[in-house]
């Protein structure tokens, strides 16, 4: 990253914090700082698991507890153990909390309008479009890629979602029992690895890498949740797996895919993969790809 990029990000952060009022203890002219207001909005009408709430907002447990205690003391929320698992705490809005959230929503609309009002129509359109792009890129930057065991619940969630989608997309349907699924041991170190993408703690994608001794590395079971497509996660998976294969000493990276997956095929071509003759007997594959990678 160039120093000018860092400086621009910091300048943007200063401008935004000033204009949206986060520097004030009485956010939106209410008797609470922005942290408490944001928590009220995130809890929503249906309530939230406290742990999920912390993960969603990136809060440590101590700070989240202080915020919740302040909201409880004001009579805006209740925090109670889950009826089926007392280790899990659930936070819900009271009637007063719902009324306060409605007030915050109204004043947030007014604040947004005050940012747009001084601008002409063309400037408003540019600002809103730029904000949408910033939102998309910041969301992409929030996603983590974590190595997990293939039997981890998040990995299994992704794989089940992936197989369900393939059954709907393929002309012949998809039966995992017919596919050349890698054994879980092939996706565990040192024979391989399995990555799960997480957004606010929720699994939103996966990809596996086989690292057979004396043979090319192979990408398996790459999937991105529909709601996070457009964030560049598939390309990020490819880049990360290529780097890991290279560090492992591999100089060739392979994958296969089905003809129905047009977007994936286009991605592989743009990422430098070349179509090659079939190198396995995968019954659901119509295209086989290979890429020479640098161990440097």
């Amino acid at each position: 990253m160039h120093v000018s990029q860092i400086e621009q990000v910091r300048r943007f952060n200063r401008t935004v914090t000033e204009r949206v009022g986060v520097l004030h203890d009485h956010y939106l002219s209410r008797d609470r700082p922005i942290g408490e207001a944001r928590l009220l909005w995130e809890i929503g009408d249906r309530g939230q698991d406290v742990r999920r709430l912390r993960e969603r907002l990136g809060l440590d447990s101590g700070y989240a507890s202080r915020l919740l205690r302040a909201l409880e003391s004001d009579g805006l929320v209740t925090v109670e153990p889950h009826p089926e698992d007392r280790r899990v705490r659930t936070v819900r809005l009271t009637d007063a909390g719902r009324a306060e959230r409605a007030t915050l929503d109204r004043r947030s609309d007014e604040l947004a309008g005050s940012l747009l009002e001084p601008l002409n129509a063309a400037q408003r359109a540019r600002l809103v479009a730029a904000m949408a792009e910033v939102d998309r890129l910041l969301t992409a930057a929030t996603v983590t890629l974590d190595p997990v065991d293939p039997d981890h619940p998040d990995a299994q969630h992704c794989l089940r979602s992936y197989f369900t989608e393939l059954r709907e997309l393929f002309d012949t349907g998809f039966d995992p029992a017919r596919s050349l699924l890698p054994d879980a041991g092939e996706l565990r170190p040192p024979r391989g690895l399995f990555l799960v993408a997480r957004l606010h703690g929720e699994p939103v994608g996966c990809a596996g890498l086989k690292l057979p001794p004396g043979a090319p590395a192979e990408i398996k079971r790459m999937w991105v949740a529909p709601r996070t497509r457009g964030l560049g996660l598939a390309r990020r998976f490819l880049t990360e797996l290529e780097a890991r294969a290279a560090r492992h000493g591999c100089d060739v990276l392979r994958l296969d895919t089905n003809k129905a997956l047009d977007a994936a095929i286009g991605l592989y071509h743009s990422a430098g993969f070349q179509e090659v003759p079939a190198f396995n007997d995968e019954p659901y594959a119509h295209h086989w790809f290979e890429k020479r990678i640098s161990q440097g």
Side-chain angles (χ1 to χ4, degrees), residues 81-137:
H82 193 281
E84 297 178 3
D85 186 349
R86 298 188 65 82
R87 296 171 300 177
V88 176
R89 295 186 303 150
T90 301
V91 56
R92 300 183 187 280
L93 298 178
T94 63
D95 288 343
R98 283 187 285 272
E100 178 66 11
R101 185 174 184 268
T103 298
L104 289 170
D105 276 340
R106 186 178 68 255
R107 295 196 177 184
S108 292
D109 288 345
E110 293 170 355
L111 175 60
S114 73
L115 295 176
L116 296 171
E117 194 276 332
L119 306 177
N120 61 41
Q123 289 174 320
R124 291 174 188 173
R126 287 171 54 200
L127 179 58
V128 171
M131 285 178 167
E133 179 70 358
V134 169
D135 179 60
R136 185 183 71 84
L137 293 173

Side-chain angles (χ1 to χ4, degrees), residues 1-7:
M1 292 174 288
H2 195 274
V3 64
S4 63
Q5 293 177 312
I6 299 296
E7 291 174 351

Side-chain angles (χ1 to χ4, degrees), residues 20-173:
V20 303
V22 302
L23 303 178
H24 305 290
D25 288 336
H26 300 279
Y27 180 62
L28 297 176
S29 300
R30 305 301 288 169
D31 291 331
R32 57 190 44 83
I34 190 172
E36 294 178 19
R38 184 70 174 86
L39 210 58
L40 278 176
W41 190 87
E42 196 65 39
I43 291 167
D45 293 329
R46 300 177 59 184
Q48 281 284 354
D49 175 295
V50 173
R51 182 178 62 85
R52 293 290 188 190
L53 196 61
R54 290 201 313 266
E55 291 177 346
R56 173 68 182 85
L57 297 177
L59 304 176
D60 67 65
S61 59
Y63 182 56
S65 295
R66 290 194 296 275
L67 291 176
L68 289 173
R69 283 197 300 269
L71 294 175
E72 272 190 298
S73 67
D74 288 345
L76 301 179
V77 303
T78 60
V79 182
E80 299 174 344
H82 193 281
E84 297 178 3
D85 186 349
R86 298 188 65 82
R87 296 171 300 177
V88 176
R89 295 186 303 150
T90 301
V91 56
R92 300 183 187 280
L93 298 178
T94 63
D95 288 343
R98 283 187 285 272
E100 178 66 11
R101 185 174 184 268
T103 298
L104 289 170
D105 276 340
R106 186 178 68 255
R107 295 196 177 184
S108 292
D109 288 345
E110 293 170 355
L111 175 60
S114 73
L115 295 176
L116 296 171
E117 194 276 332
L119 306 177
N120 61 41
Q123 289 174 320
R124 291 174 188 173
R126 287 171 54 200
L127 179 58
V128 171
M131 285 178 167
E133 179 70 358
V134 169
D135 179 60
R136 185 183 71 84
L137 293 173
L138 287 179
T139 300
T142 303
V143 177
T144 62
L145 300 186
D146 306 310
V148 303
D149 189 274
D151 289 332
H152 188 282
D154 285 353
Q156 291 299 305
H157 166 80
C158 290
L159 289 173
R160 285 193 301 272
S161 301
Y162 177 50
F163 297 156
T164 298
E165 186 169 349
L166 295 188
R167 279 194 289 270
E168 296 172 354
L169 287 174
F170 291 0
D171 294 339
T172 58

Side-chain angles (χ1 to χ4, degrees), residues 211 215 243-252 293-295:
L211 296 167
R244 288 176 179 260
R247 290 199 296 269
H248 193 76
C250 300
D251 56 9
V252 175
I293 59 178
S294 170
Q295 297 181 24

